[in-house]
C-alpha cells in the first residue's frame, strides 16, 4: 500500500512510498484512511528533524491527525464496519511509569511513550492502518471528513478543560476570552469559547480574507493590531500562535486572576522560562497564582452540544 513518508530534517525526501499492509500487532481494528491533516508539527519534522522514525528505519510515515472508516473489527471491540474513527496519537511507555499505569499516559513521566506520525511509530498517512480499540475514537457519522479535526480540537479542548479546573479552585466567572492566532487551532479555540457563552476576541496578523470572515461567523471580534495594543482584559487567554513574544504579551494583558493556556511552542521558538526555570509546553497558568498544570487527554468528538470535545 502507499504511504506519505519523510526522513526527518530532510524535506527533499518527502514523498509517496510503498509499504507492507498494517501489522496485526498494531491493533485488531482495520481502518481505511479517509483523510489526514498536516500542521506545524509536520513542518518541524520536515524542516527541523523533530520527528523520530521507528527503530531501525530511516523514514517516518506522517499523519498524526487522522480520520478513517472501519473495514473490520472484532466482536465486542465497540466498533463495526462502516464506523468513522480517529486514531489517538500517543501510546504509553511499555515500562509503565506511575502516570501511564493509571491510564494517564498523556502525562508520561519518563518520556518512553511513542506517538504515531511523530515519535518512533509510523503515522496514519497510509491507505490503511490498524489500531487497538483502546486507542481509537468513534465519531458521529454526520461529521464526515471533518472528524480529522478531532486531534487539533483535542488540544484546545484540553486547554479549556484545564483553564476551568484551575478556575474552579477559587471564585471564577469568566466573561471575556482572548484567542491569539486565527489558524485552525485558534479558530477551534474560539469556537469552544463561544460555545461557553464568552465574549470572544481573536487576534492575528492577517487583515482581510478567510480568517476575519470565519471569526465573524463565530460571532467573535477580530483584531489585526499587535496584542499589546488591544484594549481588553481577558479572563482567559488561549495562546495558539506558538510565538513566544505573543504569549508573553497576552499574559501581560490578562485580567488579574486571569488564566493563560499555552497550547504549545515549536522547537525553534523558545518561550521565556517559567519561575521554576523550565521551558513549559502545553502549559496552563493562573496569573499571579504561580500555578502550572499541563495535561493531554484523548477526548471524543461529537456533532452538537456544548463543546466539540469531551474529556
Amino acid at each position: 500500500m502507499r504511504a506519505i513518508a519523510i526522513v526527518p530534517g530532510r524535506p527533499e525526501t518527502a514523498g509517496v512510498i510503498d509499504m507492507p499492509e498494517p501489522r496485526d500487532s498494531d491493533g485488531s481494528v482495520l481502518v481505511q484512511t479517509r483523510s489526514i491533516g498536516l500542521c506545524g508539527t509536520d513542518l518541524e519534522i520536515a524542516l527541523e528533524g523533530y520527528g523520530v522514525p521507528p527503530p531501525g528505519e530511516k523514514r517516518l510515515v506522517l499523519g498524526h491527525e487522522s480520520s478513517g472508516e472501519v473495514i473490520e473489527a472484532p466482536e465486542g471491540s465497540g466498533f463495526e464496519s462502516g464506523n468513522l474513527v480517529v486514531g489517538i496519537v500517543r501510546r504509553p511507555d511499555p515500562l509503565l511509569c506511575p502516570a501511564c499505569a493509571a491510564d494517564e499516559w498523556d502525562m508520561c513521566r519518563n518520556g518512553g511513550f511513542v506517538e504515531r506520525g511523530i515519535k518512533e511509530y509510523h503515522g496514519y498517512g497510509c491507505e490503511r492502518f490498524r489500531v487497538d480499540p483502546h486507542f481509537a475514537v468513534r465519531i458521529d457519522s454526520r461529521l464526515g471528513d471533518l472528524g480529522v479535526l478531532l486531534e487539533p480540537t483535542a488540544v484546545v479542548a484540553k486547554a479549556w478543560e484545564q483553564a476551568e479546573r484551575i478556575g474552579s479552585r477559587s471564585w471564577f466567572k469568566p466573561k471575556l476570552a482572548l484567542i491569539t492566532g486565527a489558524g485552525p487551532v485558534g479558530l477551534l479555540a474560539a469556537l469552544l469559547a463561544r460555545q461557553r457563552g464568552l465574549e470572544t476576541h481573536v487576534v492575528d496578523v492577517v487583515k482581510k480574507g478567510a480568517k476575519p470572515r470565519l471569526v465573524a461567523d463565530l460571532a467573535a471580534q477580530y483584531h489585526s493590531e499587535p496584542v499589546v495594543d488591544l484594549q481588553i482584559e481577558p479572563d482567559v487567554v488561549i495562546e495558539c500562535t506558538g510565538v513566544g513574544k505573543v504569549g508573553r504579551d497576552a499574559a501581560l494583558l490578562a485580567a488579574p486572576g486571569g488564566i493563560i493556556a499555552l497550547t504549545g511552542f515549536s522547537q525553534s521558538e523558545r518561550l521565556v522560562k517559567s519561575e521554576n526555570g523550565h521551558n513549559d509546553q502545553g502549559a496552563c497558568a493562573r496569573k499571579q497564582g504561580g500555578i502550572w498544570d499541563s495535561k493531554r487527554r484523548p477526548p471524543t468528538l461529537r456533532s452538537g452540544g456544548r463543546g466539540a470535545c469531551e474529556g
Side-chain angles (χ1 to χ4, degrees), residues 256-276:
I259 294 174
I260 305 101
L262 312 177
T263 59
F265 286 81
S266 70
Q267 290 294 99
S268 59
E269 180 66 45
R270 298 304 181 188
L271 184 65
V272 292
K273 290 186 177 181
S274 62
E275 291 180 358
N276 62 8

Side-chain angles (χ1 to χ4, degrees), residues 176-180 201-203 227 230 232 234 236-239 250 253:
L176 192 152
L178 170 63
I179 313 299
T180 54
H201 296 254
V202 181
V203 62
V227 172
L230 298 179
I232 57 174
V236 179
V237 175
I238 309 293
E239 206 299 304
L253 195 68

Side-chain angles (χ1 to χ4, degrees), residues 20-302:
E21 289 292 322
R23 303 171 302 178
D24 290 345
S25 59
D26 285 340
S28 59
V29 179
L30 179 63
V31 180
Q32 179 73 45
T33 303
R34 289 177 56 134
S35 58
I36 61 169
L38 298 176
C39 71
T41 299
D42 298 290
L43 286 177
E44 290 182 4
I45 292 171
L47 300 177
E48 301 178 21
Y50 172 64
V52 180
E57 300 191 37
K58 293 183 177 180
R59 290 178 178 264
L60 173 68
V61 174
L62 297 174
H64 59 280
E65 301 176 9
S66 69
S67 73
E69 182 175 333
V70 173
I71 299 174
E72 62 182 34
E75 186 176 352
S77 66
F79 298 92
E80 59 185 28
S81 178
N83 287 163
L84 297 185
V85 297
V86 168
I88 291 174
V89 179
R90 181 172 291 192
R91 303 291 185 275
D93 185 348
L95 301 176
L96 297 178
C97 70
C100 289
D103 208 26
E104 298 281 351
W105 26 267
D106 51 329
M107 292 294 287
C108 180
R109 296 299 183 90
N110 55 24
F113 59 86
V114 297
E115 292 178 319
R116 296 200 67 155
I118 302 176
K119 181 177 183 284
E120 300 177 4
Y121 199 163
H122 285 316
Y124 299 110
C126 47
E127 293 184 84
R128 290 167 292 282
F129 63 85
R130 283 189 174 273
V131 63
D132 186 286
H134 187 62
F135 299 107
V137 179
R138 181 177 175 179
I139 58 175
D140 193 312
S141 61
R142 291 173 294 178
L143 287 169
D145 287 336
L146 290 177
V148 75
L149 295 174
L150 173 63
E151 195 277 340
T153 304
V155 174
V156 291
K158 173 188 170 183
W160 277 109
E161 176 196 63
Q162 293 300 305
E164 291 167 342
R165 284 187 176 188
I166 291 173
S168 68
R169 298 173 185 176
S170 61
W171 181 90
F172 185 61
K173 292 185 178 180
K175 295 182 179 180
L176 192 152
L178 170 63
I179 313 299
T180 54
V185 173
L187 290 170
L188 289 166
L191 169 65
L192 298 191
R194 292 296 299 132
Q195 289 179 335
R196 286 162 168 77
L198 301 179
E199 177 185 332
T200 303
H201 296 254
V202 181
V203 62
D204 196 283
V205 296
V206 174
K207 297 183 181 298
K208 59 182 180 180
K211 289 183 177 181
R213 184 172 66 252
L214 290 169
V215 170
D217 288 345
L218 292 173
Q221 299 184 46
Y222 186 86
H223 305 269
S224 58
E225 63 266 38
V227 172
V228 292
D229 294 337
L230 298 179
Q231 302 299 307
I232 57 174
E233 280 196 343
D235 301 300
V236 179
V237 175
I238 309 293
E239 206 299 304
C240 301
T241 68
V243 178
K245 184 179 186 304
V246 174
R248 296 192 293 272
D249 290 346
L252 294 173
L253 195 68
I259 294 174
I260 305 101
L262 312 177
T263 59
F265 286 81
S266 70
Q267 290 294 99
S268 59
E269 180 66 45
R270 298 304 181 188
L271 184 65
V272 292
K273 290 186 177 181
S274 62
E275 291 180 358
N276 62 8
H278 297 289
N279 288 319
D280 287 277
Q281 287 193 329
C284 190
R286 187 157 199 173
K287 191 172 182 181
Q288 299 179 345
I291 300 169
W292 291 84
D293 199 355
S294 177
K295 181 178 179 186
R296 177 171 294 176
R297 172 170 301 148
T300 56
L301 187 64
R302 57 184 183 177

